[in-house]
Amino acid sequence: ETINILEPLKEALESYRGLFEKKGLFIEFEAPEKLPLISGNRELFERLFLNLLDNSLKFTEKGGLFVKVKEEKDFLKIEFEDTGIGIKEEDIPFIFERFFVSEKGRTKEKSGFGIGLSIVKHITELQKGKIEVKSQPGRGTSFILRFPL
């Protein structure tokens, strides 16, 4: 279907805003008022955004999350940039593999099953998108999504 990507994104952000605030974290959202429509599955996009929000919430102790949307050439670019613990460079090639959990991320409160980011990658590819990761341990992580227009 043809969708306005801002609708599932804003719904996901609103469902997590209270959780971020409860932890003392901010969410900053930046997007143009009008964006081109894209093809995709609205529910899958929302699941994708919820998984990225959950990941940021889990691994950010201070600061927060910047979510930026913009049109870029033939793509719609969505960036989730947090101020969390970051990912070690040697772990980045593996973070989208099912059941991979970085040792740095393992604590009782933060341990997961290692499937959230594999779902993110799978949904991104199903929607004909690409995902890129930039991270600095101790400074945060950016997940950059690009979907064709």
Side-chain angles (χ1 to χ4, degrees):
E1 63 188 309
T2 302
I3 63 167
N4 176 346
I5 198 71
L6 294 178
E7 292 172 3
L9 180 55
K10 285 180 180 178
E11 285 180 25
L13 287 168
E14 283 312 306
S15 70
Y16 266 77
R17 193 169 299 281
L19 296 169
F20 272 75
E21 288 171 358
K22 187 175 181 181
K23 200 171 169 182
L25 304 172
F26 65 79
I27 295 179
E28 280 192 26
F29 177 64
E30 182 183 313
E33 285 197 29
K34 279 198 151 195
L35 284 169
L37 300 177
I38 65 171
S39 292
N41 181 299
R42 188 183 194 289
E43 280 124 31
L44 285 178
F45 272 115
E46 189 169 355
R47 170 58 40 213
L48 165 69
F49 301 144
L50 290 169
N51 277 329
L52 287 171
L53 287 162
D54 190 61
N55 206 63
S56 289
L57 180 65
K58 192 183 295 184
F59 295 107
T60 303
E61 295 303 321
K62 60 183 176 190
L65 175 68
F66 300 92
V67 179
K68 301 171 197 158
V69 183
K70 69 179 187 177
E71 191 177 344
E72 190 177 79
K73 294 184 184 177
D74 298 331
F75 294 91
L76 192 61
K77 178 182 174 185
I78 306 167
E79 183 171 5
F80 284 71
E81 179 182 0
D82 67 39
T83 59
I85 63 172
I87 303 166
K88 293 186 291 187
E89 190 175 339
E90 62 266 23
D91 287 346
I92 289 176
F94 306 103
I95 63 171
F96 295 114
E97 290 182 12
R98 265 186 226 190
F99 310 117
F100 178 79
V101 180
S102 172
E103 287 303 311
K104 184 172 185 178
R106 278 192 185 267
T107 67
K108 208 176 218 179
E109 312 81 54
K110 294 179 185 165
S111 188
F113 296 109
I115 58 172
L117 290 177
S118 69
I119 291 170
V120 164
K121 184 172 173 107
H122 184 70
I123 292 173
T124 300
E125 290 173 349
L126 278 174
Q127 303 302 308
K128 299 185 179 18
K130 295 189 184 311
I131 188 164
E132 177 185 355
V133 181
K134 295 180 181 176
S135 189
Q136 291 184 325
R139 301 196 71 189
T141 301
S142 289
F143 289 95
I144 301 144
L145 308 160
R146 287 183 178 86
F147 297 99
L149 293 174

